[in-house]
Amino acid sequence: SQQGEEDPQALSIQEGENATMNCSYKTSINNLQWYRQNSGRGLVHLILIRSNEREKHSGRLRVTLDTSKKSSSLLITASRAADTASYFCATDRRSGNTPLVFGKGTRLSVIA
Amino acid sequence: DVKVTQSSRYLVKRTGEKVFLECVQDMDHENMFWYRQDPGLGLRLIYFSYDVKMKEKGDIPEGYSVSREKKERFSLILESASTNQTSMYLCASSLSPGTNYGYTFGSGTRLTVV
């Protein structure tokens, strides 16, 4: 089944630096979503970008979408220790009413 | 604060037991989902439901069943628990068909089958 794949698998940065995570997917989508998961907890929805959008901002988050390359990136600016978590991209499988398919995630560690 | 509530955070069951994982949402969402999460495998969809008494198989339904008798409640049933069903189970809900809205997840149930 279609699945977003995040890159890198793990990322370690210093507090105050920017963190960039990438997601690639295989087939056409309606939209792409990013989620965050703190250790051992449920996922929290961060941002949704539609297939006709190229960039979206939410606070310190910036998401881009390149449908020609079937890829998306999530940028967290001025990272904080509290941003330490796993980040997942999720896509629908095709046009229509189908559940989200999640990637395996990027584990971000922000060192104070 | 709207939320999805999973009945247990941690659960230990014996092989062969019938296990019920309960999920309740208070947002009047149409859609509900059960995923399991395993290291290196990410989230995998077990079952989902777009309406009361409706259910659809996901990618890994074997060994599981579900029940949705009321809109707010979606139960996952392990008919005869096995050790390979040891996992983190995540319930989610969303507002409408399709993926135009984000999913709201519960805190997860970490199930250990011994």
Side-chain angles (χ1 to χ4, degrees), chain A residues 27-97:
Chain A
T27 63
S28 298
I29 58 172
N30 292 316
N31 61 60
L32 184 144
Q33 304 183 25
W34 285 91
Y35 289 78
R36 164 197 169 121
Q37 183 182 34
N38 284 38
S39 181
R41 308 295 294 185
L43 279 71
V44 175
H45 180 253
L46 294 177
I47 198 164
L48 180 154
I49 185 165
R50 303 190 189 284
S51 58
N52 61 354
E53 298 176 309
R54 292 297 166 257
E55 188 171 311
K56 202 161 183 180
H57 297 256
S58 177
R60 294 184 296 111
L61 304 181
R62 172 178 168 251
V63 169
T64 61
L65 180 63
D66 187 335
T67 53
S68 67
K69 294 181 179 178
K70 293 186 172 59
S71 67
S72 174
S73 67
L74 170 67
L75 169 68
I76 304 174
T77 59
S79 63
R80 306 166 181 167
D83 294 328
T84 294
S86 291
Y87 292 83
F88 296 84
C89 69
T91 59
D92 46 23
R93 299 168 192 237
R94 62 182 186 275
S95 297
N97 188 12

Side-chain angles (χ1 to χ4, degrees), chain B residues 47-84:
Chain B
Y47 267 97
F48 60 102
S49 170
Y50 287 155
D51 201 354
V52 176
K53 297 192 185 294
M54 175 269 181
K55 60 185 178 183
E56 294 275 357
K57 292 180 180 179
D59 296 317
I60 52 165
E62 296 77 20
Y64 303 94
S65 63
V66 289
S67 173
R68 192 163 182 204
E69 296 295 319
K70 295 184 177 181
K71 188 176 186 180
E72 67 270 18
R73 185 180 297 269
F74 192 36
S75 303
L76 180 68
I77 303 157
L78 285 66
E79 298 292 342
S80 178
S82 63
T83 55
N84 63 13

Side-chain angles (χ1 to χ4, degrees), chain B residues 98-112:
Chain B
T99 56
N100 290 324
Y101 296 89
Y103 288 10
T104 301
F105 279 84
S107 296
T109 295
R110 188 166 294 280
L111 172 68
T112 302

